[in-house]
Coordinates of all heavy atoms in Angstrom, one line a residue:
M1 N 132.8 117.5 109.6 CA 133.9 116.9 108.8 C 134.0 117.8 107.5 O 133.1 118.0 106.8 CB 133.5 115.5 108.4 CG 134.5 114.8 107.6 SD 134.1 113.1 107.2 CE 134.1 112.2 108.7
D2 N 135.3 118.3 107.4 CA 135.5 119.1 106.2 C 135.7 118.2 104.9 O 135.7 117.0 105.0 CB 136.7 120.0 106.4 CG 138.0 119.2 106.5 OD1 138.0 118.0 106.5 OD2 139.1 119.9 106.6
K3 N 135.7 118.9 103.8 CA 135.7 118.2 102.5 C 136.9 117.2 102.4 O 136.8 116.1 101.9 CB 135.7 119.2 101.4 CG 135.5 118.6 100.0 CD 135.3 119.7 99.0 CE 135.1 119.1 97.6 NZ 134.8 120.2 96.6
A4 N 138.1 117.7 102.8 CA 139.3 116.9 102.7 C 139.2 115.7 103.6 O 139.6 114.6 103.1 CB 140.5 117.7 103.0
S5 N 138.7 115.8 104.8 CA 138.6 114.7 105.7 C 137.6 113.7 105.2 O 137.8 112.5 105.3 CB 138.1 115.2 107.1 OG 139.1 116.0 107.7
F6 N 136.5 114.2 104.6 CA 135.5 113.3 104.0 C 136.1 112.5 102.9 O 135.8 111.3 102.8 CB 134.3 114.1 103.6 CG 133.2 113.3 103.1 CD1 132.4 112.5 103.9 CD2 132.9 113.2 101.7 CE1 131.4 111.7 103.4 CE2 131.9 112.5 101.2 CZ 131.1 111.7 102.1
K7 N 136.8 113.2 102.0 CA 137.4 112.5 100.9 C 138.4 111.4 101.4 O 138.4 110.3 100.8 CB 138.2 113.5 100.0 CG 138.8 112.9 98.8 CD 139.4 114.0 97.9 CE 139.9 113.3 96.6 NZ 140.5 114.2 95.7
R8 N 139.2 111.7 102.4 CA 140.1 110.7 102.9 C 139.3 109.5 103.5 O 139.7 108.3 103.3 CB 141.0 111.3 104.0 CG 142.2 112.1 103.4 CD 143.2 112.5 104.5 NE 142.7 113.2 105.6 CZ 142.5 114.5 105.7 NH1 142.8 115.3 104.7 NH2 142.0 115.0 106.8
Y9 N 138.2 109.8 104.2 CA 137.4 108.7 104.8 C 136.8 107.8 103.7 O 136.9 106.6 103.8 CB 136.3 109.4 105.6 CG 135.3 108.4 106.1 CD1 135.6 107.6 107.1 CD2 134.0 108.4 105.6 CE1 134.6 106.7 107.6 CE2 133.0 107.5 106.1 CZ 133.4 106.7 107.1 OH 132.4 105.8 107.6
I10 N 136.3 108.4 102.6 CA 135.8 107.6 101.5 C 136.9 106.8 100.8 O 136.7 105.6 100.5 CB 135.1 108.6 100.4 CG1 133.9 109.3 101.1 CG2 134.7 107.8 99.2 CD1 132.8 108.3 101.5
E11 N 138.1 107.4 100.6 CA 139.2 106.6 100.0 C 139.6 105.5 100.9 O 139.9 104.4 100.4 CB 140.4 107.6 99.8 CG 140.1 108.5 98.7 CD 141.2 109.6 98.6 OE1 142.0 109.8 99.5 OE2 141.2 110.4 97.6
K12 N 139.6 105.7 102.2 CA 139.9 104.6 103.2 C 138.8 103.5 103.1 O 139.2 102.3 103.0 CB 139.9 105.1 104.6 CG 140.3 104.1 105.6 CD 140.4 104.7 107.0 CE 140.7 103.6 108.1 NZ 139.6 103.3 108.9
L13 N 137.6 103.8 103.0 CA 136.5 102.8 102.9 C 136.6 102.0 101.6 O 136.5 100.8 101.6 CB 135.1 103.5 102.9 CG 134.7 104.0 104.3 CD1 133.3 104.7 104.1 CD2 134.6 102.9 105.3
E14 N 137.0 102.7 100.5 CA 137.1 102.1 99.2 C 138.3 101.1 99.2 O 138.2 100.0 98.7 CB 137.3 103.1 98.1 CG 136.1 103.9 97.8 CD 136.3 105.0 96.8 OE1 137.4 105.4 96.6 OE2 135.3 105.5 96.3
Q15 N 139.4 101.5 99.9 CA 140.6 100.6 100.0 C 140.2 99.4 100.8 O 140.6 98.3 100.5 CB 141.7 101.4 100.7 CG 143.0 100.6 100.8 CD 144.1 101.3 101.5 OE1 143.9 102.4 102.0 NE2 145.3 100.7 101.5
E16 N 139.5 99.6 102.0 CA 139.1 98.5 102.8 C 138.2 97.5 102.0 O 138.3 96.3 102.2 CB 138.4 99.0 104.1 CG 139.3 99.6 105.0 CD 138.6 100.2 106.2 OE1 137.4 100.1 106.3 OE2 139.3 100.8 107.1
R17 N 137.3 98.1 101.2 CA 136.4 97.2 100.4 C 137.2 96.4 99.4 O 137.0 95.2 99.2 CB 135.4 98.2 99.7 CG 134.5 97.5 98.7 CD 133.6 98.5 98.0 NE 133.2 98.0 96.8 CZ 133.9 98.1 95.6 NH1 135.0 98.8 95.6 NH2 133.4 97.6 94.5
E18 N 138.2 97.0 98.7 CA 139.0 96.3 97.8 C 139.8 95.2 98.5 O 140.0 94.1 97.9 CB 139.9 97.2 97.0 CG 139.2 98.1 96.0 CD 138.4 97.3 94.9 OE1 138.9 96.3 94.5 OE2 137.3 97.7 94.6
E19 N 140.3 95.5 99.6 CA 141.1 94.5 100.4 C 140.2 93.3 100.8 O 140.6 92.2 100.7 CB 141.7 95.1 101.6 CG 142.9 96.1 101.3 CD 143.4 96.8 102.5 OE1 142.9 96.7 103.6 OE2 144.3 97.7 102.3
Y20 N 139.0 93.6 101.2 CA 138.0 92.6 101.6 C 137.7 91.7 100.4 O 137.8 90.5 100.4 CB 136.7 93.2 102.1 CG 135.6 92.2 102.2 CD1 135.5 91.4 103.3 CD2 134.6 92.2 101.3 CE1 134.5 90.4 103.4 CE2 133.5 91.2 101.4 CZ 133.5 90.4 102.5 OH 132.5 89.5 102.6
I21 N 137.5 92.3 99.2 CA 137.1 91.6 98.0 C 138.3 90.7 97.6 O 138.2 89.5 97.2 CB 136.7 92.5 96.9 CG1 135.4 93.2 97.2 CG2 136.6 91.8 95.5 CD1 135.1 94.3 96.3
S22 N 139.5 91.2 97.7 CA 140.7 90.5 97.3 C 140.9 89.2 98.2 O 141.6 88.2 97.7 CB 142.0 91.3 97.4 OG 142.4 91.6 98.7
R23 N 140.4 89.2 99.4 CA 140.5 88.0 100.3 C 139.5 86.9 100.0 O 139.6 85.8 100.5 CB 140.5 88.4 101.7 CG 141.7 89.3 102.2 CD 141.7 89.4 103.7 NE 140.5 90.1 104.2 CZ 140.4 91.4 104.4 NH1 141.4 92.2 104.1 NH2 139.3 91.9 104.9
L24 N 138.5 87.3 99.2 CA 137.5 86.3 98.9 C 138.0 85.3 97.8 O 138.9 85.6 97.0 CB 136.2 87.0 98.3 CG 135.5 87.9 99.2 CD1 134.4 88.7 98.4 CD2 134.9 87.2 100.4
S25 N 137.4 84.1 97.8 CA 137.7 83.2 96.7 C 137.2 83.8 95.4 O 136.4 84.7 95.4 CB 137.0 81.9 97.0 OG 135.6 82.1 96.8
P26 N 137.8 83.2 94.3 CA 137.3 83.7 93.0 C 135.8 83.7 92.8 O 135.2 84.6 92.3 CB 138.0 82.8 92.0 CG 139.2 82.4 92.7 CD 138.8 82.2 94.1
E27 N 135.2 82.6 93.3 CA 133.7 82.5 93.3 C 133.1 83.5 94.2 O 132.0 84.1 93.8 CB 133.2 81.1 93.7 CG 133.7 80.0 92.8 CD 135.1 79.5 93.1 OE1 135.7 79.9 94.2 OE2 135.7 78.8 92.3
G28 N 133.6 83.8 95.3 CA 133.1 84.8 96.2 C 133.2 86.2 95.6 O 132.3 87.0 95.8
Q29 N 134.4 86.4 95.0 CA 134.5 87.7 94.3 C 133.5 87.9 93.2 O 132.9 89.0 93.1 CB 135.9 87.8 93.7 CG 137.0 88.0 94.7 CD 138.4 88.0 94.1 OE1 138.6 88.3 92.9 NE2 139.4 87.9 94.9
E30 N 133.2 86.9 92.5 CA 132.2 87.0 91.4 C 130.9 87.2 92.0 O 130.1 88.1 91.5 CB 132.2 85.7 90.6 CG 131.3 85.7 89.4 CD 131.3 84.4 88.6 OE1 132.4 83.8 88.5 OE2 130.3 84.0 88.1
E31 N 130.5 86.5 93.0 CA 129.2 86.7 93.7 C 129.1 88.1 94.3 O 128.1 88.8 94.1 CB 129.0 85.7 94.8 CG 127.7 85.8 95.5 CD 127.5 84.8 96.6 OE1 128.3 83.9 96.8 OE2 126.4 84.9 97.2
Y32 N 130.2 88.6 94.9 CA 130.2 90.0 95.5 C 129.9 91.0 94.4 O 129.1 91.9 94.5 CB 131.5 90.3 96.2 CG 131.6 91.6 96.8 CD1 131.3 91.7 98.2 CD2 131.9 92.7 96.2 CE1 131.3 92.9 98.8 CE2 131.9 94.0 96.8 CZ 131.6 94.1 98.1 OH 131.6 95.3 98.8
R33 N 130.7 90.9 93.3 CA 130.5 91.8 92.1 C 129.1 91.8 91.5 O 128.5 92.8 91.2 CB 131.6 91.6 91.0 CG 133.0 91.7 91.5 CD 133.4 93.1 91.6 NE 134.9 93.1 91.9 CZ 135.5 94.1 92.4 NH1 134.9 95.2 92.7 NH2 136.8 94.0 92.6
R34 N 128.6 90.6 91.4 CA 127.2 90.4 90.9 C 126.2 91.1 91.8 O 125.3 91.9 91.3 CB 126.9 88.9 90.7 CG 125.6 88.7 89.9 CD 125.3 87.2 89.7 NE 125.1 86.5 90.9 CZ 126.0 85.6 91.4 NH1 127.1 85.3 90.8 NH2 125.7 85.0 92.6
K35 N 126.3 90.9 93.1 CA 125.4 91.5 94.0 C 125.5 93.0 94.0 O 124.6 93.7 94.1 CB 125.6 90.9 95.4 CG 125.1 89.5 95.6 CD 125.3 89.0 97.0 CE 124.7 87.6 97.1 NZ 124.9 87.1 98.5
E36 N 126.8 93.5 93.9 CA 127.0 94.9 93.9 C 126.4 95.5 92.6 O 125.8 96.6 92.7 CB 128.6 95.1 93.9 CG 129.0 96.6 93.9 CD 130.5 96.7 94.0 OE1 131.2 96.1 93.2 OE2 130.9 97.5 94.9
N37 N 126.6 94.8 91.5 CA 126.0 95.3 90.3 C 124.4 95.3 90.3 O 123.8 96.3 89.9 CB 126.4 94.5 89.1 CG 127.9 94.7 88.7 OD1 128.4 95.8 89.0 ND2 128.5 93.8 88.0
D38 N 123.9 94.3 90.9 CA 122.4 94.2 91.1 C 121.9 95.4 92.0 O 120.9 96.0 91.7 CB 122.0 92.9 91.8 CG 122.1 91.7 90.8 OD1 122.4 91.9 89.6 OD2 122.0 90.6 91.3
L39 N 122.6 95.6 93.1 CA 122.3 96.7 94.0 C 122.4 98.1 93.2 O 121.4 98.9 93.3 CB 123.2 96.8 95.2 CG 123.0 97.9 96.1 CD1 121.6 97.9 96.8 CD2 124.1 97.9 97.2
N40 N 123.5 98.3 92.5 CA 123.6 99.6 91.8 C 122.5 99.7 90.7 O 122.0 100.8 90.5 CB 125.0 99.6 91.1 CG 126.1 99.9 92.2 OD1 125.8 100.5 93.2 ND2 127.3 99.4 91.9
E41 N 122.2 98.7 90.0 CA 121.1 98.7 89.0 C 119.8 99.1 89.7 O 119.0 99.9 89.2 CB 121.0 97.4 88.3 CG 120.0 97.4 87.2 CD 120.2 98.5 86.1 OE1 121.3 98.8 85.8 OE2 119.2 98.9 85.5
G42 N 119.5 98.5 90.8 CA 118.3 98.8 91.6 C 118.2 100.3 92.0 O 117.2 100.9 91.9
L43 N 119.4 100.8 92.4 CA 119.4 102.2 92.8 C 119.3 103.1 91.6 O 118.6 104.1 91.8 CB 120.8 102.5 93.5 CG 121.0 101.8 94.9 CD1 122.4 102.0 95.4 CD2 120.0 102.4 95.9
R44 N 119.8 102.7 90.5 CA 119.7 103.5 89.3 C 118.2 103.6 88.9 O 117.6 104.6 88.5 CB 120.5 103.0 88.1 CG 121.9 103.5 88.0 CD 122.6 103.2 86.7 NE 122.9 101.8 86.6 CZ 123.9 101.1 87.2 NH1 124.7 101.8 87.9 NH2 124.1 99.9 87.0
R45 N 117.5 102.4 88.9 CA 116.1 102.4 88.6 C 115.3 103.2 89.5 O 114.4 104.0 89.1 CB 115.6 100.9 88.6 CG 116.1 100.1 87.4 CD 115.4 98.8 87.5 NE 116.1 97.9 86.5 CZ 116.3 96.6 86.7 NH1 115.8 96.0 87.8 NH2 116.9 95.9 85.8
K46 N 115.6 103.1 90.8 CA 114.8 103.9 91.8 C 115.1 105.4 91.6 O 114.1 106.2 91.6 CB 115.2 103.6 93.2 CG 114.4 104.3 94.3 CD 114.9 104.0 95.7 CE 114.1 104.7 96.7 NZ 113.6 106.0 96.5
N47 N 116.3 105.8 91.3 CA 116.6 107.2 91.0 C 115.9 107.6 89.8 O 115.3 108.7 89.8 CB 118.1 107.3 90.8 CG 118.8 108.3 91.7 OD1 118.1 109.0 92.4 ND2 120.1 108.5 91.5
N48 N 115.9 106.8 88.7 CA 115.2 107.2 87.5 C 113.7 107.4 87.8 O 113.0 108.3 87.3 CB 115.4 106.2 86.4 CG 116.8 106.3 85.8 OD1 117.5 107.3 86.0 ND2 117.3 105.2 85.2
S49 N 113.1 106.5 88.6 CA 111.7 106.5 88.8 C 111.4 107.7 89.7 O 110.4 108.4 89.5 CB 111.3 105.2 89.5 OG 110.6 105.4 90.7
D50 N 112.2 108.1 90.7 CA 112.0 109.2 91.5 C 112.1 110.5 90.7 O 111.3 111.4 90.8 CB 113.1 109.3 92.7 CG 112.8 108.3 93.7 OD1 111.8 107.6 93.7 OD2 113.7 108.1 94.6
T51 N 113.1 110.5 89.8 CA 113.3 111.7 88.9 C 112.0 111.9 88.0 O 111.5 113.0 87.8 CB 114.5 111.6 88.0 OG1 115.7 111.4 88.9 CG2 114.7 112.8 87.1
S52 N 111.5 110.8 87.4 CA 110.3 110.9 86.6 C 109.1 111.4 87.4 O 108.4 112.2 86.9 CB 110.0 109.5 86.0 OG 111.0 109.1 85.1
A53 N 109.0 110.9 88.6 CA 107.9 111.3 89.5 C 108.0 112.8 89.8 O 107.0 113.5 89.8 CB 107.8 110.5 90.7
N54 N 109.2 113.2 90.1 CA 109.4 114.7 90.4 C 109.1 115.5 89.2 O 108.5 116.6 89.3 CB 110.9 114.9 90.9 CG 111.1 114.4 92.3 OD1 110.2 114.2 93.0 ND2 112.4 114.2 92.6
N55 N 109.5 115.1 88.0 CA 109.3 115.9 86.8 C 107.8 115.9 86.5 O 107.3 117.0 86.0 CB 110.0 115.3 85.6 CG 111.5 115.5 85.7 OD1 112.0 116.4 86.4 ND2 112.3 114.7 85.0
Q56 N 107.0 114.9 86.8 CA 105.6 114.9 86.5 C 104.9 115.8 87.5 O 103.8 116.3 87.2 CB 105.0 113.5 86.6 CG 105.5 112.6 85.5 CD 105.0 111.2 85.7 OE1 104.3 110.8 86.7 NE2 105.3 110.3 84.7
N57 N 105.5 116.0 88.7 CA 104.8 116.9 89.7 C 105.1 118.4 89.4 O 104.6 119.2 90.1 CB 105.3 116.5 91.1 CG 104.8 115.1 91.5 OD1 103.7 114.7 91.0 ND2 105.5 114.5 92.4
K58 N 105.9 118.7 88.4 CA 106.2 120.1 88.2 C 105.2 120.8 87.3 O 104.4 120.2 86.6 CB 107.6 120.2 87.5 CG 108.7 119.9 88.5 CD 110.0 120.1 87.8 CE 111.1 119.8 88.8 NZ 112.4 120.0 88.2

């Protein structure tokens, strides 16, 4: 998959995600966003911890 195709694919996924969220109730949207934020925060922490471990191994 070339870069342009990949970019279109990601844009399509983002659009589908936004459409899905828009069909949720306001409470469902809030819960979705909260879970998404929790997931992103967890990934940031893992990334930071992996980076720290890699820096200590140098």
Side-chain angles (χ1 to χ4, degrees):
M1 180 180 291
D2 66 358
K3 189 175 182 178
S5 296
F6 182 73
K7 184 175 181 178
R8 284 191 303 274
Y9 174 71
I10 295 300
E11 288 170 351
K12 180 177 179 256
L13 289 177
E14 288 173 345
Q15 180 182 8
E16 289 175 0
R17 178 182 151 275
E18 288 301 322
E19 289 171 2
Y20 169 79
I21 293 169
S22 73
R23 291 191 301 267
L24 295 172
S25 68
E27 296 82 13
Q29 289 180 15
E30 184 179 325
E31 181 179 357
Y32 184 96
R33 299 283 187 200
R34 188 177 64 251
K35 287 181 179 180
E36 183 178 51
N37 288 338
D38 290 349
L39 175 63
N40 287 333
E41 181 60 30
L43 290 172
R44 270 192 292 280
R45 286 186 193 146
K46 182 181 182 324
N47 233 1
N48 288 341
S49 125
D50 289 350
T51 301
S52 293
N54 286 340
N55 288 338
Q56 289 175 358
N57 290 335
K58 288 183 178 181

